[in-house]
Amino acid sequence: EKRTMTLIEKNGYHDSIYINAAKIFQGIHTKKHKDRILVRYGDDSVSPMLTFKDEYFQRVSYELAFNALKYQDLLEEILLDSCVYPCHSIPDELTSLLVVMLYDLQERKFQAREIFDEEEPVAEVRKIEHYLYSFRTKLAAALARCRIKHDALSIEYFLPENIRTQAQRASALPLCVWINTFKISLQDVFGDLEKKGFTRVESVSDLDGYTYCMDQHCSDVLVFPSSLKEELLNLDLFADCKLLLQ
């Protein structure tokens, strides 16, 4: 399981990640003025109880929630335009889960999620998943109409230009990684990375391909090219929490 985190991400997430992401989204979603409310999210006055299996599940849950937040207006428009929402069988308390899972479904190009045998199913997740997938054609058509209406090449173009620029800059920033010195020494990290085909270089300006360098100010921080995020997260060093992505 530890070595297939990237695969899981590309083919969907564990049920618990959707549930936690929905709880996070419920507390941070943009609240509309009363006369503009078309999509209802239920009561969010009580702080949700979040339980994460590990650091990876926590990180991905928050990423999924904040991605849904970025595209909240678009996702709501897709649900309304496709007539998938409202639905009498889905209470307002599950609307956040509906939105979060719709974001992930369109990220997968409306393809089915891969279910893993070791995963403990969550009834609400399976219910919403089945509902959305049964209307995948209508949802994809609604997304296409939204793109034509807004003259958008991709969903990123629905974001304000300043947010798009920030996202582009963030995606190009080098990755900072903390060495968990309670579990492994610097020299053992260097040796393990070398076995995996990584080369140590002198500075950030030298980063290219499978390379890394030491941070200039923190002796227990390594810096990698941004393009290596998926490969890094699949290393045993990350799975065993010997390296932690900042």
Side-chain angles (χ1 to χ4, degrees), residues 114-215:
E114 183 175 347
I115 303 296
F116 295 86
D117 293 337
E118 72 276 3
E119 176 176 12
E120 184 176 345
V122 178
E124 294 87 350
V125 170
R126 301 299 169 92
K127 175 183 178 179
I128 296 298
E129 179 176 38
H130 176 75
Y131 179 72
L132 287 174
Y133 193 69
S134 67
F135 289 104
R136 61 191 181 281
T137 303
K138 286 187 175 182
L139 291 166
L143 173 58
R145 286 192 293 272
C146 289
R147 287 177 55 185
I148 293 171
K149 175 182 174 182
H150 297 281
D151 193 24
L153 296 174
S154 65
I155 68 167
E156 286 77 18
Y157 286 84
F158 287 91
L159 298 174
E161 186 175 353
N162 64 320
I163 295 180
R164 275 209 319 273
T165 301
Q166 288 176 8
Q168 290 168 356
R169 288 174 178 169
S171 65
L173 288 175
L175 301 172
C176 291
V177 173
W178 290 94
I179 299 173
N180 185 354
T181 53
F182 289 104
K183 289 193 170 187
I184 193 169
S185 69
L186 271 67
Q187 294 305 318
D188 285 342
V189 170
F190 299 155
D192 201 311
L193 289 173
E194 185 177 353
K195 291 177 183 177
K196 296 294 192 300
F198 288 85
T199 302
R200 183 177 168 186
V201 295
E202 290 299 318
S203 66
V204 173
S205 60
D206 299 322
L207 292 177
D208 182 35
Y210 282 78
T211 58
Y212 71 96
C213 67
M214 298 291 297
D215 184 86

Side-chain angles (χ1 to χ4, degrees), residues 5-242:
M5 288 304 186
T6 301
L7 182 64
I8 292 171
E9 223 166 298
K10 288 181 178 178
N11 293 297
Y13 302 95
H14 286 81
D15 287 18
S16 63
I17 289 177
Y18 291 116
I19 284 292
N20 280 322
K23 290 178 180 179
I24 296 165
F25 179 79
Q26 178 71 23
I28 64 175
H29 73 274
T30 302
K31 298 175 177 61
K32 309 290 177 65
H33 193 273
K34 287 184 178 181
D35 58 2
R36 293 182 56 226
I37 293 178
L38 296 174
V39 177
R40 301 185 180 280
Y41 288 93
D43 181 26
D44 59 357
S45 60
V46 180
S47 298
M49 294 294 293
L50 300 174
T51 304
F52 302 107
K53 180 179 177 181
D54 55 30
E55 187 272 338
Y56 166 81
F57 278 69
Q58 181 180 28
R59 175 180 60 80
V60 175
S61 297
Y62 275 96
E63 283 184 0
L64 185 55
F66 277 92
N67 279 329
L69 176 65
K70 281 197 301 185
Y71 296 102
Q72 179 181 332
D73 289 342
L74 171 63
L75 297 169
E76 290 179 356
E77 187 175 346
I78 292 171
L79 287 171
L80 294 166
D81 182 68
S82 63
C83 297
V84 170
Y85 180 92
C87 174
H88 296 299
S89 64
I90 297 178
D92 292 348
E93 287 70 26
L94 291 182
T95 302
S96 287
L97 184 59
L98 186 71
V99 171
V100 163
M101 295 194 73
L102 174 58
Y103 171 80
D104 180 57
L105 182 61
Q106 66 79 33
E107 275 287 285
R108 301 197 313 271
K109 310 299 181 187
F110 298 95
Q111 298 300 307
R113 175 174 66 125
E114 183 175 347
I115 303 296
F116 295 86
D117 293 337
E118 72 276 3
E119 176 176 12
E120 184 176 345
V122 178
E124 294 87 350
V125 170
R126 301 299 169 92
K127 175 183 178 179
I128 296 298
E129 179 176 38
H130 176 75
Y131 179 72
L132 287 174
Y133 193 69
S134 67
F135 289 104
R136 61 191 181 281
T137 303
K138 286 187 175 182
L139 291 166
L143 173 58
R145 286 192 293 272
C146 289
R147 287 177 55 185
I148 293 171
K149 175 182 174 182
H150 297 281
D151 193 24
L153 296 174
S154 65
I155 68 167
E156 286 77 18
Y157 286 84
F158 287 91
L159 298 174
E161 186 175 353
N162 64 320
I163 295 180
R164 275 209 319 273
T165 301
Q166 288 176 8
Q168 290 168 356
R169 288 174 178 169
S171 65
L173 288 175
L175 301 172
C176 291
V177 173
W178 290 94
I179 299 173
N180 185 354
T181 53
F182 289 104
K183 289 193 170 187
I184 193 169
S185 69
L186 271 67
Q187 294 305 318
D188 285 342
V189 170
F190 299 155
D192 201 311
L193 289 173
E194 185 177 353
K195 291 177 183 177
K196 296 294 192 300
F198 288 85
T199 302
R200 183 177 168 186
V201 295
E202 290 299 318
S203 66
V204 173
S205 60
D206 299 322
L207 292 177
D208 182 35
Y210 282 78
T211 58
Y212 71 96
C213 67
M214 298 291 297
D215 184 86
Q216 293 182 353
H217 306 288
C218 300
S219 60
D220 56 352
V221 173
L222 305 179
V223 184
F224 293 83
S226 59
S227 59
L228 296 181
K229 183 176 181 180
E230 289 187 357
E231 286 87 343
L232 289 174
L233 292 175
N234 281 332
L235 294 178
D236 290 341
L237 288 169
F238 281 85
D240 297 332
C241 296
K242 294 175 180 177

